[in-house]
Amino acid sequence: ENGKAEPESYENVTVFFSDIVSFTKMSNDLEPKILIRELNELFTKFDQIIEKNHCERIKTIGDAYLCVCGMPEANPCHAENILNSAIEIIRYLKKRQRCSNIQWEMRIGIHSGRVVGGVVGVKKYIYDVFGDTINTASRMETNSKPMKINISESTYQLVKDKYNFFERGFFSVKGKGEMKMYFVLEPEIENQDDDSSESEEWQQATGTYRLQLLTAKQQRKQCR
């Protein structure tokens, strides 16, 4: 009743953190009514996708979207469920772009580890999550690129045999030092217009992945 509850620690959780690219500029260009309508449509669809994949939305912060799997109920497939959600969200956005004048793009970051959860506040209390894992997922998002899914080494180790990845190497992360990162490789979410230095290697890696896609899908079906 007073908005207080004992916090709990969850050891095996995967965290999804996303942010809309150029949101500040787009929010200035759109009428407030249209902006809220668009965000509501996006986040409602995201909620449907993650619920289908047994994940839990924690909160939205402006244009940022935070969800988890592995808490409050333990789930041995927490990393796979989050990756499947991320892949489906990117597919949804790309499909939506083909029939909408408003072109939303997202960066997604994913990290796995220990998370603390609990209710905070008195009058407007909410269930929230805390810990280094949350901060690191946010850093993964910051170091991602538009319409790509950037994951940490800890998440990679949990799913490396069930997906294919582009190994990006080590990046300097604020408060963490050097961290190894990977892009999730899925032909349907390739950014064909990417002119970065990674683009050629990205194309080669996804070409290899197409030969292994069926096997990977069969493996993922075993985990729900």
Side-chain angles (χ1 to χ4, degrees), residues 21-38:
V21 178
S22 302
F23 179 76
T24 301
K25 180 182 183 303
M26 294 183 73
S27 63
N28 289 332
D29 293 340
L30 294 173
E31 294 181 9
K33 184 182 297 185
I34 295 176
L35 175 65
I36 297 303
R37 184 194 68 196
E38 287 285 309

Side-chain angles (χ1 to χ4, degrees), residues 50-155:
I50 69 163
E51 182 178 0
K52 181 179 67 175
N53 286 291
H54 313 290
C55 303
E56 184 80 18
R57 193 244 279 190
I58 299 299
K59 60 183 174 181
T60 60
I61 312 167
D63 62 309
Y65 188 94
L66 172 63
C67 70
V68 301
C69 187
M71 64 180 295
E73 299 295 329
N75 190 321
C77 299
H78 56 93
E80 290 177 58
N81 290 341
I82 286 288
L83 259 67
N84 289 340
S85 296
I87 290 168
E88 191 169 344
I89 284 172
I90 294 295
R91 288 174 178 164
Y92 161 72
L93 288 173
K94 297 190 81 168
K95 182 178 180 181
R96 192 179 189 275
Q97 287 176 347
R98 295 196 290 268
C99 56
S100 174
N101 293 326
I102 303 175
Q103 302 289 292
W104 298 112
E105 291 189 319
M106 296 185 71
R107 290 182 301 267
I108 296 176
I110 294 172
H111 179 60
S112 303
R114 176 178 174 270
V115 172
V116 174
V119 176
V120 295
V122 177
K123 292 184 178 180
K124 295 183 179 180
Y125 54 88
I126 60 169
Y127 184 84
D128 210 345
V129 289
F130 310 90
D132 184 65
T133 299
I134 306 299
N135 295 332
T136 304
S138 176
R139 299 289 184 260
M140 291 299 112
E141 179 274 316
T142 302
N143 284 277
S144 188
K145 292 188 176 182
M147 303 300 275
K148 289 185 180 178
I149 303 165
N150 189 42
I151 72 169
S152 67
E153 177 73 20
S154 66
T155 301

Side-chain angles (χ1 to χ4, degrees), residues 35-52:
L35 175 65
I36 297 303
R37 184 194 68 196
E38 287 285 309
L39 285 179
N40 182 64
E41 184 176 319
L42 291 177
F43 290 159
T44 297
K45 183 62 177 181
F46 295 174
D47 287 348
Q48 293 170 352
I49 290 171
I50 69 163
E51 182 178 0
K52 181 179 67 175

